[in-house]
Each structure stands twice: as C-alpha cells, then as structure tokens.
Amino acid sequence: MDPLSSLLSGIRAEGSVVSHAVLTAPWTIRFADDAPLTMISVLRGGGTLLLPDGTERAVGAGDTAIVSGPAPFHLADGPGTAHSSHEAYEIACFTTDAAYTARQLGGIHWGADSEEATVLIVGAYRASGHRHERLLRSLPPVLVITEDAEVCAWLETAAIDAAQHSAGSQALMDRLLDWALVCTLRSWFDQAGADAPSWYRGLADPVLAPALEAFHDRPAAAWTVASLATRAGVSRALFAKRFTKLMGRPPLAYLTECRMDEAEALLTDTDLSIAEIGRSVGYADAFGFSAAFKRHKGRSPSAFRTAAAA
C-alpha cells in the first residue's frame, strides 16, 4: 500500500449529500460535523469560505475545496455577510437529530432550479482512528482545486440520484465522494510541487518509487540502504544521495519515522501488545522497539498509550 492510500484508509464519507440548495443572498451556511476533512464541490454559483482562524477563500463554479480540522466553519455568499442580517443554514451530515439537519434548520429547497441557485455537493469524512493525522499535518487549512465542466455535470447527476433516495443511491454517492477526495488530493499534491510532502514527491520519482512502494508494502522487513537500492536498480551511494536530496532525510531516518508513525497509530487504535506492535513495524523484541519509540516520540510506548487513552 502506498503512503497516501495508507493515510486515507481510515477516512470515509458517510451520508454526505447536499444538492440544489436555492439560496437568496445574503446567506450563510454553517458546517457543524466536527469532521477531520470536509469537501465542498461548487457545481454552480459560489461563495466565500470563512474559517475559524480568519482565513477567507472565494470558491466558484467548478471549484472543489477541502477544509481540514474539526472546528465549525462557514460558507457565505460573500465575505461581509456572515455577521450581518442574512438567511442562516446549517449542514450536519452525521447527526441523526432532525433539529440539526439542513432541511429543518435552513428550509433549503432541494431539487429546485433557477439562475440564482447555488448548487453544492458536500462530503464530510469520518475517521476510524488516528492514521489520518499525518495526512492532515501536510495540508493547509483549506485547499482548492478547479474541475472541468464535464466532471461537475457528472457529479451533479449522481447527487440528484442520491437525493431521490433510490436503492443504493446513498452508498453510491459516498463511494463517489471517497473517489473524489483521492482525486482532489492527488491534484493538489501534483500542483504543490516542492511544497508537497516528501512521501508524495518520492512516489513520483522513477528511482525512489520502487523502493518506497516495497517498504510501505512490507514495513516490517529488514530493510537496509543496500536492499532498497537494489529495489531501485541503482548503486547504494547513488540511492542514498538521491533519497536524501529529494526526501529531506537519509533513507533509514525516513524508515524509522514511518515505522514510529505506524506504531503510534497502532498504540492508539488497537489492543495489540507492545511486542506485537514492535514486530509489525520491524523490531524483533519489545525492548528494542520501546527504546526506538521513546527516542523518536519522547516517551515509552506504554506511557504513550496511557496518555492517549486518557
């Protein structure tokens, strides 16, 4: 499994469809799911995202925005309307309380159409553990990618079908939103260039990619610089030099960092013993793993697990 797939393995869309919201300016939508990631695709119309830290980002037709972090945020028809007299709406994809649904709070007209319509698809993503936190650390508070008109039309058709509650429509829309999240992140990382995380840049390098894929596929194997260089098909010296230049750290330092991040997720999200976790990330005994974990994370595995549980 490549790094991006691994980091996204614990994040899924669930019950997340909003389409054909006919809003008359001034209006504001509050997003209240406390989700680690929220994706908003603007099929028609547009507005301004207002984040808790004061960030403002305009989005228009064809834009897909991903907002990181659980804090509630707003989408307004313009930057000046959130604190003035306006129509207020709220979207909470995960709640089962009818008092907090978009339909009840906002009176949003679903399925209607007009030249003034702002048409959105919203995907709020649940996390089943802590593995995704490394991904969030590599993202800005909000990122925006522009899609072409054909993609928007296709997504709108799927959203209309889901809104009609036909058999399997919600599951289909959730899976489409999962697919859209991966595509949007890949597009943003590709455009970020040197600002993309090193684990993503490495996968695009023809020399490093085979070695990185082999390591992430079998992190517990006894990898060395020489064995990784063999996977890459180059000399040990050339591999180490190229790896350090592109990834910002030597090969073995990267391997240790990835293993400790994986161990951190396992300590938080599973009941595996310290020894079992150590073996799963390449350490033959619990003592060696505990020493490495404390050196890298600043506390022993057992102390980390206790603090995480508290």
Side-chain angles (χ1 to χ4, degrees):
M1 184 180 292
D2 65 87
L4 182 57
S5 296
S6 177
L7 296 176
L8 285 171
S9 62
I11 294 181
R12 290 289 182 270
E14 185 175 339
S16 307
V17 176
V18 176
S19 180
H20 288 86
V22 182
L23 307 173
T24 302
W27 54 263
T28 301
I29 301 174
R30 181 176 184 266
F31 295 84
D33 274 309
D34 297 332
L37 284 176
T38 303
M39 186 172 67
I40 304 167
S41 293
V42 183
L43 305 185
R44 281 182 276 158
T48 300
L49 285 165
L50 308 172
L51 304 188
D53 65 358
T55 298
E56 297 182 2
R57 183 68 181 268
V59 289
D63 287 342
T64 292
I66 294 179
V67 180
S68 301
F73 62 96
H74 296 80
L75 175 66
D77 68 287
T81 65
H83 304 293
S84 61
S85 178
H86 61 278
E87 289 291 330
Y89 302 86
E90 182 158 330
I91 293 174
C93 297
F94 299 151
T95 184
T96 58
D97 187 341
Y100 291 96
T101 64
R103 187 190 297 270
Q104 292 291 330
L105 279 182
I108 296 177
H109 302 289
W110 297 74
D113 203 354
S114 73
E115 293 182 358
E116 294 78 26
T118 290
V119 183
L120 308 174
I121 295 178
V122 178
Y125 295 83
R126 291 186 188 274
S128 59
H130 292 76
R131 192 181 306 275
H132 68 285
E133 291 175 357
R134 185 181 176 201
L135 172 64
L136 296 187
R137 291 195 293 268
S138 68
L139 300 178
V142 58
L143 63 90
V144 178
I145 293 294
T146 301
E147 306 286 358
D148 59 41
E150 291 184 0
V151 173
C152 292
W154 179 69
L155 285 172
E156 184 172 1
T157 299
I160 292 171
D161 177 70
Q164 294 173 349
H165 304 292
S166 56
S169 58
Q170 185 62 66
L172 172 63
M173 195 65 214
D174 287 343
R175 299 294 77 77
L176 286 174
L177 289 170
D178 289 337
W179 169 83
L181 176 64
V182 176
C183 291
T184 301
L185 288 174
R186 287 173 56 177
S187 296
W188 186 80
F189 285 140
D190 287 340
Q191 294 178 18
D195 293 328
S198 59
W199 49 262
Y200 189 86
R201 298 198 308 272
L203 291 173
D205 184 82
V207 173
L208 300 189
L212 287 171
E213 290 170 357
F215 166 69
H216 284 284
D217 186 51
R218 294 190 296 128
W223 296 108
T224 63
V225 176
S227 64
L228 290 171
T230 298
R231 288 280 185 171
V234 297
S235 70
R236 181 181 182 279
L238 176 60
F239 176 79
K241 181 178 180 180
R242 189 180 185 97
F243 193 103
T244 302
K245 180 180 179 179
L246 185 62
M247 304 291 284
R249 59 183 74 73
L252 296 186
Y254 175 82
L255 266 60
T256 299
E257 179 182 317
C258 291
R259 284 168 169 161
M260 294 302 103
D261 285 342
E262 174 67 13
E264 185 179 278
L266 293 173
L267 286 166
T268 306
D269 301 335
T270 75
D271 294 325
L272 294 174
S273 69
I274 303 300
E276 288 172 326
I277 292 173
R279 287 194 293 272
S280 73
V281 296
Y283 290 83
D285 60 82
F287 178 79
F289 165 64
S290 295
F293 188 91
K294 185 174 183 179
R295 186 166 56 249
H296 192 77
K297 298 292 185 179
R299 64 179 71 180
S300 68
S302 57
F304 177 87
R305 172 173 271 172
T306 299

